[in-house]
Amino acid sequence: MTASITMNNQLSLQSSYLAGAQKAEVSINPAFLGIEDAQQAEVSSTPDIRFSSQISSLNKAEIGIIYNQIKIEVKAKLEKDNLDNIEFKPFDYHQSTIDEIMDYPLDVKIEPDEIHTAILYNRMGISFLDVKRVEVRMELLKLAEQDVEKSAKQASIDIDQRQMLSQKIDNNLLKLEGEKQALLEGDQMRKNQQELFEQLRFQGQ
């Protein structure tokens, strides 16, 4: 699946990028970016991902660690809440893991090679960290999909269960893709502005 930025956003981003590229380096405010000891970033070190389907630079190893942690927590929670001593099957663990991925609190940060890209998107009113959080969640679902396929090959789940889990993953990926597109198109920003306007109008009455 791919996500596209609206034409106006693309043109604005391209203009900002070209303007920023004329400078040798960019000064960074660590408090604003949430990065410790970040002082300056070389423009040349920023990958050209302006128009790619993936905005952030995802660390596959770190995402794998998060995924394994989610599975551990899901297993512990299922067993702790199992007051009726139900014998859980692989299907139950897969299903709970997929659900947990959608709600799991993700602490994402801007990596050094993402600094310039983050600045450009933030200038456009787009939260880079929110976009990255969605992309990480999508990668976690893809890892869950790999586990489902592995269980299917091992006959740990049957064909119907595999289809149910795959459909659940696909639906969640579509939902996240929609959230990502809304962020890139500034839908949430416009919604927040409208809510603020309504609050101010209500207070003025």
Side-chain angles (χ1 to χ4, degrees):
M1 292 182 291
T2 60
S4 60
I5 307 174
T6 57
M7 183 61 69
N8 288 336
N9 280 355
Q10 286 181 333
L11 293 175
S12 298
L13 181 57
Q14 188 174 28
S15 298
S16 298
Y17 182 85
L18 292 175
Q22 295 175 355
K23 299 181 180 181
E25 54 189 18
V26 180
S27 297
I28 306 301
N29 184 338
F32 171 71
L33 294 174
I35 301 177
E36 296 181 358
D37 301 326
Q39 297 297 327
Q40 295 179 327
E42 294 292 336
V43 172
S44 59
S45 66
T46 304
D48 189 5
I49 56 175
R50 292 167 290 160
F51 307 118
S52 67
S53 60
Q54 181 175 297
I55 305 303
S56 58
S57 301
L58 302 180
N59 187 315
K60 303 295 184 179
E62 290 184 1
I63 294 176
I65 293 174
I66 296 173
Y67 179 66
N68 288 330
Q69 181 61 34
I70 290 175
K71 291 199 298 182
I72 292 173
E73 293 183 16
V74 164
K75 185 175 185 295
K77 183 178 180 181
L78 284 176
E79 294 176 352
K80 179 181 178 181
D81 297 339
N82 188 17
L83 301 179
D84 297 328
N85 293 321
I86 299 173
E87 182 181 356
F88 292 114
K89 303 294 184 180
F91 174 82
D92 301 310
Y93 290 108
H94 284 308
Q95 184 167 239
S96 296
T97 297
I98 295 169
D99 289 337
E100 184 65 18
I101 286 174
M102 296 300 290
D103 298 323
Y104 196 78
L106 296 174
D107 182 20
V108 297
K109 62 181 180 179
I110 299 174
E111 300 296 339
D113 64 339
E114 298 174 322
I115 291 175
H116 190 64
T117 303
I119 292 175
L120 296 181
Y121 277 93
N122 286 334
R123 284 176 180 173
M124 294 167 56
I126 299 172
S127 173
F128 178 83
L129 287 178
D130 285 346
V131 174
K132 183 172 183 177
R133 190 173 289 107
V134 171
E135 291 185 337
V136 170
R137 218 175 287 281
M138 293 174 75
E139 289 300 314
L140 290 170
L141 285 175
K142 292 175 184 178
L143 290 178
E145 186 174 26
Q146 292 177 16
D147 269 357
V148 168
E149 292 300 318
K150 182 178 179 180
S151 291
K153 291 180 180 179
Q154 296 174 344
S156 299
I157 57 176
D158 59 35
I159 296 177
D160 290 339
Q161 290 175 329
R162 175 191 178 188
Q163 291 178 343
M164 289 176 60
L165 293 171
S166 295
Q167 186 63 51
K168 190 179 187 71
I169 291 173
D170 288 343
N171 290 340
N172 285 338
L173 284 172
L174 284 174
K175 178 182 178 181
L176 291 173
E177 189 65 46
E179 291 179 7
K180 177 180 173 180
Q181 187 64 25
L183 287 169
L184 293 176
E185 293 178 350
D187 288 359
Q188 187 60 47
M189 180 177 62
R190 287 192 291 270
K191 180 180 178 181
N192 292 340
Q193 290 175 341
Q194 182 62 29
E195 290 177 352
L196 177 60
F197 174 77
E198 294 295 336
Q199 291 175 4
L200 293 175
R201 187 175 67 173
F202 178 78
Q203 293 174 0
Q205 293 178 350

